[in-house]
Each structure stands twice: as structure tokens, then as C-alpha cells.
Amino acid sequence: MGYVGNHLATLVTGVFAAVLTGLWAFWDLSPILDFVFLMAVPITWFMAFTCWISQKSTDYMHNHAPSHVEKKSLSNTQTIETTTTGSQVSLSEIKQIQNELSLELNNVKETVKLKDSEIERLNQEISNLETLVQIESLKTELANLKMLASERKTKSK
């Protein structure tokens, strides 16, 4: 982390902004340099502020993130202590929970397989119904054509 607490970019940018401010405030400059400093000083102070805010945000996110799990070995039983809550969970409890979750996962997988087979069956029924609808429309069209043909025969006689 260092002496400045990861604020090196903020420190460098702040020192640069302070030097520019000092040069601008205490030296009599030409109008063109005065305009350059008029633009550069607020920009560098804004950069220093942005660096400071971003580092504060990063520090906040890393200090409040869930911490890692530390493993501790005791005499005959192994336990795991979480640093966020300070509670201890034995290895046998973890194994029991893991087994329960595995059973639940297997049940969910079986349910998904059943649902997949049901979806496949329904898709097959839909395609069969579409085929039946096409057959019926062809029968209707054929009947209409037969009726038109018989009407033509009667008109031609």
C-alpha cells in the first residue's frame, strides 16, 4: 500500500496543480501564457480531485467487499471460520450441506429432463397437427376442384 496509501497519482497531480497555481499567481506572465495557465490550472485541479475520488471509491469497494475464508485446523475436528461473521462451521456440517445440495441439484436435473421430454413430445404433436391441418386443407381444395369440374360438365352438356 505504500506511504501515501495508494494515493500516489493524486499526490503527483496535486503537486503539479499546486506548482502551476503558484507559477500563475506569483509571476507576471504574457497574455498568451496567462491564457494557457488559465486553462491548465483548473484542469489539473480537476484531475487531482478525480484521482482522489476514484481512489476513495476503490478503497471503499475493497474494504467493504466480502472477505476471504480462513481455514483453521483444530485437534480432531476441522472448522472453517469466516472473518465477516466470526461464526464457525465444522467440516461435517459442510459435507452434509454439500450432500443435500447435490441431491437437490439431481432432482432439478431430473425435472429438467422430464420437462425437455414433455417439450419434445408437444413439439411432435404440433407438427402432427400441422400435418393434419394441411391434409384437411388439401381435401377441401380437392372437393372444391371436384365440384368445379362437375359444374363444368353440367354446363358443357
Side-chain angles (χ1 to χ4, degrees):
M1 199 153 143
Y3 292 111
V4 290
N6 286 339
H7 285 280
L8 185 60
T10 306
L11 182 67
V12 169
T13 309
V15 168
F16 183 62
V19 168
L20 284 180
T21 303
L23 288 174
W24 184 43
F26 299 115
W27 280 8
D28 188 25
L29 302 170
S30 68
I32 292 179
L33 281 179
D34 195 33
F35 177 73
V36 169
F37 275 89
L38 181 67
M39 298 303 288
V41 169
I43 291 171
T44 53
W45 280 115
F46 177 75
M47 287 172 47
F49 176 73
T50 304
C51 288
W52 179 73
I53 287 293
S54 65
Q55 188 58 50
K56 283 294 185 183
S57 172
T58 302
D59 291 344
Y60 179 81
M61 292 305 292
H62 287 284
N63 288 339
H64 290 87
S67 60
H68 64 284
V69 176
E70 296 176 7
K71 292 183 179 180
K72 292 185 177 181
S73 176
L74 299 176
S75 58
N76 287 336
T77 61
Q78 291 184 345
T79 61
I80 296 175
E81 181 177 340
T82 59
T83 56
T84 54
T85 60
S87 63
Q88 290 186 351
V89 180
S90 70
L91 190 59
S92 61
E93 289 174 349
I94 291 174
K95 291 287 184 186
Q96 180 185 3
I97 293 170
Q98 185 180 13
N99 289 337
E100 290 173 4
L101 290 175
S102 295
L103 288 174
E104 224 175 290
L105 180 63
N106 289 336
N107 289 339
V108 169
K109 284 181 181 178
E110 288 299 318
T111 304
V112 168
K113 285 180 185 176
L114 289 174
K115 296 293 181 187
D116 285 344
S117 65
E118 182 69 18
I119 289 171
E120 185 62 37
R121 186 186 64 77
L122 289 173
N123 283 335
Q124 185 63 37
E125 279 187 34
I126 289 171
S127 67
N128 290 341
L129 287 174
E130 287 173 351
T131 304
L132 288 174
V133 167
Q134 289 172 350
I135 290 171
E136 288 299 319
S137 73
L138 287 173
K139 283 181 181 179
T140 306
E141 200 171 319
L142 185 62
N144 287 338
L145 287 173
K146 283 181 181 179
M147 192 182 329
L148 284 174
S150 68
E151 284 177 9
R152 277 191 178 175
K153 281 184 184 179
T154 58
K155 283 184 182 179
S156 64
K157 288 184 181 181

